[in-house]
Amino acid sequence: MIQRLRRTVSDLHAELVRYDLVAWTAGNVSGRIPGEDLFVIKPSGVSYDELGPENMVLCDLDGNLVEGDHSPSSDTAAHAYVYRNMPEVGGVVHTHSTYASAWAARGEAIPCVLTAMADEFGGEIPVGPFALIGDDSIGQGIVETLKGHRSPAVLMRNHGVFSIGKDPRAAVKAAVMCEDVARTVHVARQLGEPLTIGQDDIDRLYDRYQNVYGQRSPR
Amino acid sequence: MIQRLRRTVSDLHAELVRYDLVAWTAGNVSGRIPGEDLFVIKPSGVSYDELGPENMVLCDLDGNLVEGDHSPSSDTAAHAYVYRNMPEVGGVVHTHSTYASAWAARGEAIPCVLTAMADEFGGEIPVGPFALIGDDSIGQGIVETLKGHRSPAVLMRNHGVFSIGKDPRAAVKAAVMCEDVARTVHVARQLGEPLTIGQDDIDRLYDRYQNVYGQRSPR
Amino acid sequence: MIQRLRRTVSDLHAELVRYDLVAWTAGNVSGRIPGEDLFVIKPSGVSYDELGPENMVLCDLDGNLVEGDHSPSSDTAAHAYVYRNMPEVGGVVHTHSTYASAWAARGEAIPCVLTAMADEFGGEIPVGPFALIGDDSIGQGIVETLKGHRSPAVLMRNHGVFSIGKDPRAAVKAAVMCEDVARTVHVARQLGEPLTIGQDDIDRLYDRYQNVYGQRSPR
Amino acid sequence: MIQRLRRTVSDLHAELVRYDLVAWTAGNVSGRIPGEDLFVIKPSGVSYDELGPENMVLCDLDGNLVEGDHSPSSDTAAHAYVYRNMPEVGGVVHTHSTYASAWAARGEAIPCVLTAMADEFGGEIPVGPFALIGDDSIGQGIVETLKGHRSPAVLMRNHGVFSIGKDPRAAVKAAVMCEDVARTVHVARQLGEPLTIGQDDIDRLYDRYQNVYGQRSPR
């Protein structure tokens, strides 16, 4: 199980590259070992070309290194805090993707003016506080913003995106969709105000997408 | 014939990826079986890397699954409605491509200020109504907007693009060109007003392109 | 010689794709056969993946097909007019590249506010007239604008770019650099006015680049 | 050692291509031979596809060719001036990357409104003077701007970016991150004013990133 998750987490970084969410080494994916107080995360400062299952790092929920030859990502404390405080979360992703980070730099939530955004985020994508790296500040900001919120992504002020999911793949999907809608709503607003979608329509879209979309059997 | 169309429709999804029209699994192509009340469409929620002729789904014109191991695309009802009501249509494409969706978010038609747009669309690219997924609303909005219109693409309000063609390849071309002109006209308008093209010039360009362009023999 | 030029012209289309200058089949390269009243050009409506030396088309300087199984590009008359009237030109390229076409849609020349633009274009990139396809109007507009101008590229109003060079590779380079500076100057102007470069500095940069840059021996 | 550096410098050009920092041949990397008054640099006007260890050029710190069959980059004098005057520098990169060059065209420094920018640049990315190619003007402008500044990158007015590092890889990283933050801050400012980050927070982020980030053992 750990070995499989090492490969899954390692491979998912290729999606961050494919969708242009990361430059150099600035972005990371982690995944919780189901049923254990452990998670797998990217090593710090290693380029995406050099990632493989063997250099992924295993940490406990306090962010301490349990197994691995490399130091874990410098964002490990934030991932660990999320896993400690949101037991339903099985995957966490962090990026500085361009359009989402631009909204974050202004401290502005992304308004829900696209049906795809209603589907995936169930409303706006919220802004979390400004927080320095080095202690639990970032993790606390993520959890306080996302607890009880439909959105699986938060724009951390002047920083970037953290996204969560039931597993690492779902968290990566949320990171990809977050940048996609951040870009489209940005472009829309450059030439005027987007039309609003009524809250009841947002609710209907969200409910349907969460319960009907995709293949019924687990994949 | 069905087998060949399965391959054609499967392969054409690669063009959506190549031209950056889709993120994750959000976009689909379908093609009508010539002479039969059937069409082939993408399975729901399956990633573009995993598509192949074998997992395409065969549906009837009410959108019911006829053959296939996967659920059809969640947009199947809209595709089916188009095939039922526009017998000349042999292919349908749906995307949330960035610039076209930005025009759709503002509910603004794209004005015809490029000769390439006159060639392919014969005038503006129109906006269709806001419609929820789940019944025939989206299909009706597409057909009401495109019937009798030169444009093979419609911007569905707060949603994205649907495009049509005599076959799936033509519908994909329309989706690609729609995003291309949506982007260029957006960029032009960011720094001022584009110059207009006279209606008679638009008519001459459209007529010539539809009748002269390309290779004379069928390919 | 003809065989080698077929390959060169065919291969150079890959640069249009690599630099994102073209969507679907909308863009073409041609090259003059040195010492003969003939040129090689892309076939009409054929996708870039399917191009090879064998399907390039050979035309005379009136744009008539001399050799080839395909119809020549629908822009052949414009290429032919340039070759007839600018004997120093050995290559012509046409694209609808996004940022250059946006300047063309507003009918605005691109001001020379980058040293790279002084190097390659020796000043602004000028705008040519609005002209319909089908006779010599486009060719005349290109030649009237570029004759006696330093710029190897012209923005045809509401249309796109034509670029020229001593050979097809130089014309492709001009098309690539035209889009590159069109984009950078556009982005600069989005947030204010770019600083100007004095005419004497532009002259010095242009002179040096045309006479010193690159490898001294012919390549 | 020289042979290894030839390969390193040659290979690093692929990162400029991968991150879309260069068009055609407009951008170059160099690396100092540790302990010697020599550096390796790209040949002038050679395309990135054709680069290899064998066609890299070896120069002395006055920019004279020491070994190589090709002329060195036309920017060699600027690289040489930096190596002569900043002994701590082991790598230099020059690009005309789009967003950074747009800030340079307006002569505006990029304000530090992203934590990633505080990490890598320790504050704003400064603007250097307008300078013509052909003597030491560009080199002087780079050194005067970067000496005593935290930023490893400078926006040369109306021109582009020069970045430095302890080795060529670090200089390439600075060039990549410079374009990344230039783009994000540009996008942020298109729709309002980014929020500021306090100087003490910038200092803390910079200090931590320079001293803690990455793997502790040399790689």
Side-chain angles (χ1 to χ4, degrees):
Chain A
M1 170 59 89
I2 293 180
Q3 198 47 34
R4 198 166 55 187
L5 195 69
R6 281 174 172 275
R7 170 157 298 284
T8 298
V9 170
S10 172
D11 287 355
L12 281 167
H13 285 87
E15 300 291 326
L16 305 189
V17 173
R18 181 208 299 232
Y19 285 105
D20 264 333
L21 306 188
V22 289
W24 213 248
T25 60
N28 39 72
V29 180
S30 71
R32 189 200 291 263
I33 314 281
E36 300 199 49
D37 288 346
L38 295 168
F39 64 98
V40 165
I41 192 165
K42 178 182 180 293
S44 178
V46 175
S47 78
Y48 298 108
D49 289 350
E50 295 170 356
L51 295 186
E54 69 288 354
N55 54 20
M56 294 293 108
V57 182
L58 188 68
C59 293
D60 67 24
L61 296 198
D62 293 317
N64 298 311
L65 189 151
V66 171
E67 188 184 286
D69 299 330
H70 292 73
S71 308
S73 163
S74 60
D75 298 302
T76 296
H79 290 248
Y81 190 93
V82 173
Y83 289 123
R84 277 207 309 284
N85 290 280
M86 299 181 89
E88 72 279 20
V89 168
V92 177
V93 172
H94 175 48
T95 81
H96 300 157
S97 65
T98 301
Y99 286 85
S101 298
W103 289 91
R106 290 192 311 271
E108 256 187 273
I110 308 175
C112 183
V113 296
L114 298 166
T115 56
M117 215 177 145
D119 289 347
E120 178 76 22
F121 299 94
E124 68 170 25
I125 300 178
V127 176
F130 180 81
L132 287 187
I133 199 166
D135 59 17
D136 278 345
S137 306
I138 293 177
Q140 283 171 3
I142 298 167
V143 170
E144 278 164 22
T145 312
L146 293 186
K147 273 249 183 187
H149 204 291
R150 284 174 177 173
S151 171
V154 51
L155 310 173
M156 293 300 283
R157 223 198 81 186
N158 295 98
H159 183 173
V161 178
F162 281 86
S163 67
I164 56 175
K166 67 182 191 328
D167 56 31
R169 185 171 178 80
V172 170
K173 181 188 178 187
V176 169
M177 297 311 291
C178 176
E179 179 65 6
D180 194 55
V181 302
R183 185 192 300 113
T184 303
V185 180
H186 176 90
V187 170
R189 271 194 43 191
Q190 287 187 306
L191 297 181
E193 275 307 307
L195 302 169
T196 54
I197 305 181
Q199 187 60 47
D200 52 339
D201 286 334
I202 291 174
D203 293 347
R204 264 182 233 127
L205 285 163
Y206 181 69
D207 178 63
R208 181 188 161 89
Y209 189 76
Q210 299 301 319
N211 297 307
V212 177
Y213 187 74
Q215 302 301 325
R216 259 149 296 170
S217 51
R219 306 181 49 241
Chain B
M1 169 61 88
I2 293 180
Q3 198 47 34
R4 198 164 56 186
L5 195 70
R6 280 174 173 277
R7 171 159 297 284
T8 298
V9 170
S10 173
D11 286 355
L12 281 167
H13 285 87
E15 301 290 327
L16 305 188
V17 173
R18 180 207 300 230
Y19 286 105
D20 264 332
L21 306 189
V22 289
W24 212 249
T25 61
N28 39 71
V29 180
S30 71
R32 188 200 291 262
I33 314 281
E36 300 200 47
D37 287 347
L38 296 168
F39 65 97
V40 165
I41 192 166
K42 177 182 180 292
S44 179
V46 175
S47 78
Y48 298 109
D49 289 351
E50 294 170 356
L51 294 186
E54 69 288 355
N55 54 20
M56 294 294 108
V57 182
L58 188 68
C59 292
D60 67 24
L61 296 198
D62 293 317
N64 299 313
L65 189 151
V66 172
E67 187 184 285
D69 299 331
H70 292 74
S71 309
S73 163
S74 60
D75 299 300
T76 296
H79 290 247
Y81 190 93
V82 173
Y83 290 122
R84 276 207 309 283
N85 289 279
M86 300 181 87
E88 71 279 19
V89 169
V92 177
V93 172
H94 175 48
T95 81
H96 299 158
S97 65
T98 302
Y99 286 84
S101 298
W103 290 91
R106 290 192 311 270
E108 256 187 274
I110 308 175
C112 183
V113 296
L114 297 167
T115 55
M117 214 177 146
D119 288 347
E120 177 77 22
F121 299 95
E124 69 170 25
I125 300 178
V127 176
F130 180 80
L132 287 187
I133 200 167
D135 58 17
D136 279 343
S137 306
I138 293 177
Q140 284 170 3
I142 298 166
V143 169
E144 278 162 22
T145 312
L146 293 185
K147 272 250 183 186
H149 203 290
R150 282 174 178 173
S151 171
V154 52
L155 310 173
M156 293 299 284
R157 225 198 79 185
N158 295 98
H159 183 174
V161 178
F162 281 86
S163 66
I164 57 174
K166 68 181 190 327
D167 56 31
R169 185 169 179 81
V172 169
K173 181 187 179 188
V176 169
M177 297 311 290
C178 177
E179 180 65 5
D180 194 56
V181 300
R183 186 193 300 112
T184 303
V185 179
H186 177 90
V187 170
R189 270 194 43 191
Q190 286 186 307
L191 297 180
E193 273 309 306
L195 301 169
T196 54
I197 304 181
Q199 187 59 47
D200 52 339
D201 286 334
I202 291 174
D203 292 347
R204 264 184 233 127
L205 285 164
Y206 181 69
D207 178 63
R208 182 188 160 87
Y209 189 76
Q210 299 302 319
N211 296 308
V212 177
Y213 186 73
Q215 302 301 324
R216 259 149 297 170
S217 52
R219 305 181 51 241
Chain C
M1 170 60 88
I2 292 180
Q3 198 47 33
R4 197 164 57 187
L5 194 71
R6 281 173 172 275
R7 172 159 296 285
T8 298
V9 170
S10 172
D11 286 355
L12 281 168
H13 285 86
E15 301 290 326
L16 305 189
V17 173
R18 181 207 300 230
Y19 286 104
D20 264 332
L21 306 188
V22 289
W24 213 247
T25 60
N28 39 71
V29 180
S30 70
R32 189 201 291 262
I33 313 283
E36 300 201 47
D37 287 346
L38 295 169
F39 64 98
V40 165
I41 192 165
K42 178 182 180 292
S44 178
V46 175
S47 78
Y48 297 108
D49 289 351
E50 294 170 359
L51 294 187
E54 68 289 354
N55 54 21
M56 293 294 108
V57 182
L58 188 68
C59 292
D60 66 24
L61 296 197
D62 293 318
N64 298 314
L65 189 152
V66 171
E67 188 184 286
D69 299 331
H70 292 73
S71 309
S73 163
S74 59
D75 297 302
T76 296
H79 290 247
Y81 189 93
V82 173
Y83 289 123
R84 276 208 309 282
N85 290 279
M86 300 181 88
E88 71 279 19
V89 169
V92 177
V93 172
H94 175 49
T95 80
H96 300 157
S97 66
T98 301
Y99 286 85
S101 298
W103 290 91
R106 291 191 312 270
E108 256 187 272
I110 308 175
C112 182
V113 295
L114 298 167
T115 56
M117 215 178 144
D119 287 347
E120 177 78 22
F121 299 94
E124 69 170 25
I125 300 179
V127 176
F130 180 80
L132 287 187
I133 200 167
D135 58 18
D136 278 345
S137 306
I138 293 177
Q140 284 171 3
I142 299 167
V143 170
E144 277 163 22
T145 312
L146 293 186
K147 272 251 183 185
H149 203 291
R150 282 173 177 173
S151 170
V154 52
L155 310 173
M156 293 299 285
R157 225 198 78 186
N158 294 98
H159 182 175
V161 178
F162 280 86
S163 66
I164 57 175
K166 68 181 190 328
D167 55 31
R169 186 170 177 82
V172 170
K173 181 188 178 188
V176 169
M177 298 311 290
C178 177
E179 180 65 5
D180 194 56
V181 301
R183 186 193 299 112
T184 303
V185 179
H186 177 90
V187 170
R189 271 194 42 192
Q190 286 186 308
L191 296 181
E193 273 309 306
L195 301 168
T196 54
I197 304 181
Q199 186 59 47
D200 51 340
D201 286 334
I202 291 175
D203 293 347
R204 264 182 232 127
L205 286 163
Y206 181 68
D207 178 61
R208 182 189 160 87
Y209 190 76
Q210 299 303 319
N211 296 307
V212 178
Y213 186 74
Q215 301 301 323
R216 258 150 297 170
S217 51
R219 304 181 52 241
Chain D
M1 171 59 89
I2 292 180
Q3 198 47 34
R4 197 165 56 188
L5 195 71
R6 281 173 172 277
R7 170 159 298 284
T8 298
V9 171
S10 172
D11 286 356
L12 281 167
H13 285 87
E15 300 291 327
L16 305 189
V17 172
R18 181 207 298 231
Y19 285 105
D20 263 333
L21 306 189
V22 289
W24 213 248
T25 61
N28 39 71
V29 180
S30 71
R32 189 200 291 262
I33 314 283
E36 300 201 47
D37 287 346
L38 295 169
F39 65 98
V40 164
I41 192 165
K42 178 182 180 293
S44 178
V46 175
S47 78
Y48 298 107
D49 289 350
E50 295 170 357
L51 294 186
E54 69 288 354
N55 53 22
M56 293 293 108
V57 182
L58 188 68
C59 292
D60 66 25
L61 295 199
D62 293 317
N64 299 313
L65 188 151
V66 171
E67 188 183 287
D69 299 331
H70 293 73
S71 308
S73 162
S74 60
D75 298 302
T76 297
H79 290 248
Y81 190 92
V82 173
Y83 290 122
R84 277 205 310 283
N85 290 279
M86 300 181 87
E88 71 279 19
V89 169
V92 178
V93 172
H94 175 48
T95 80
H96 301 158
S97 65
T98 301
Y99 286 85
S101 298
W103 290 91
R106 289 192 312 270
E108 256 188 273
I110 308 175
C112 183
V113 295
L114 297 166
T115 56
M117 215 177 145
D119 288 347
E120 177 77 24
F121 299 95
E124 67 169 26
I125 299 178
V127 175
F130 180 80
L132 286 187
I133 199 167
D135 58 18
D136 277 345
S137 307
I138 292 177
Q140 284 171 3
I142 298 166
V143 170
E144 278 163 23
T145 312
L146 293 185
K147 273 250 183 185
H149 203 289
R150 282 173 177 172
S151 172
V154 51
L155 311 173
M156 292 300 284
R157 223 197 81 186
N158 294 99
H159 183 174
V161 178
F162 281 86
S163 66
I164 57 175
K166 68 182 190 332
D167 56 30
R169 186 171 177 82
V172 169
K173 181 188 177 188
V176 168
M177 297 310 290
C178 177
E179 180 65 5
D180 194 55
V181 300
R183 185 192 301 111
T184 303
V185 180
H186 176 90
V187 170
R189 271 194 43 191
Q190 287 186 307
L191 297 180
E193 275 309 306
L195 302 168
T196 53
I197 304 181
Q199 186 60 47
D200 52 339
D201 286 334
I202 291 175
D203 293 347
R204 264 182 233 127
L205 285 163
Y206 181 69
D207 179 62
R208 182 189 159 88
Y209 190 76
Q210 298 302 320
N211 297 306
V212 177
Y213 186 74
Q215 301 302 323
R216 259 148 298 170
S217 52
R219 304 180 50 241

